Amino acid sequence: MRTQVRLNLYERGIVDALVASFGYTAAAARMLVTEYIGVVRKLGGYDTCYDHAERLNQAHKKKYPAEAWLERIEALDRGAAQDKGIAHLERGPAYAHVH
């Protein structure tokens, strides 16, 4: 038995964008969003529904699995967390002193 994913308003907007701009049927668009729901939720709701729809359409056409995409996001997040910055470009204590 397959669990039904409940899409929020933003995610339904992505479905609508897939239908309106990329030629999907409503059922196919919902299936695509459901397939990539982990990615959509990990990326968050900062971009437009159209932007997410475009990404999902590209991933679908390239047969890029959601699991691989999530692994890539996690790897980038780990790398960002380990980034120490560029010392000579960072504003250190000297930046706060007025001469």
Side-chain angles (χ1 to χ4, degrees):
M1 186 169 136
R2 195 166 172 184
T3 304
Q4 186 75 6
V5 175
R6 183 171 177 88
L7 302 179
N8 64 32
L9 186 60
Y10 181 73
E11 294 157 355
R12 289 193 304 263
I14 297 169
V15 170
D16 292 342
L18 285 165
V19 171
S21 300
F22 298 97
Y24 287 82
T25 65
R30 188 183 196 298
M31 273 183 41
L32 186 60
V33 172
T34 300
E35 179 182 346
Y36 287 93
I37 197 67
V39 173
V40 170
R41 290 178 178 170
K42 184 74 174 172
L43 293 176
Y46 298 103
D47 293 329
T48 67
C49 293
Y50 176 87
D51 290 340
H52 271 303
E54 185 176 35
R55 288 184 195 111
L56 296 184
N57 181 52
Q58 289 174 353
H60 176 71
K61 287 185 178 208
K62 292 180 179 180
K63 297 180 179 12
Y64 194 70
E67 297 79 21
W69 197 349
L70 282 170
E71 287 172 11
R72 180 72 178 140
I73 293 169
E74 292 293 332
L76 291 171
D77 285 348
R78 280 192 304 276
Q82 295 172 356
D83 187 6
K84 303 285 190 246
I86 303 171
H88 71 281
L89 296 178
E90 297 293 322
R91 295 178 176 160
Y95 179 79
H97 298 291
V98 178
H99 297 274

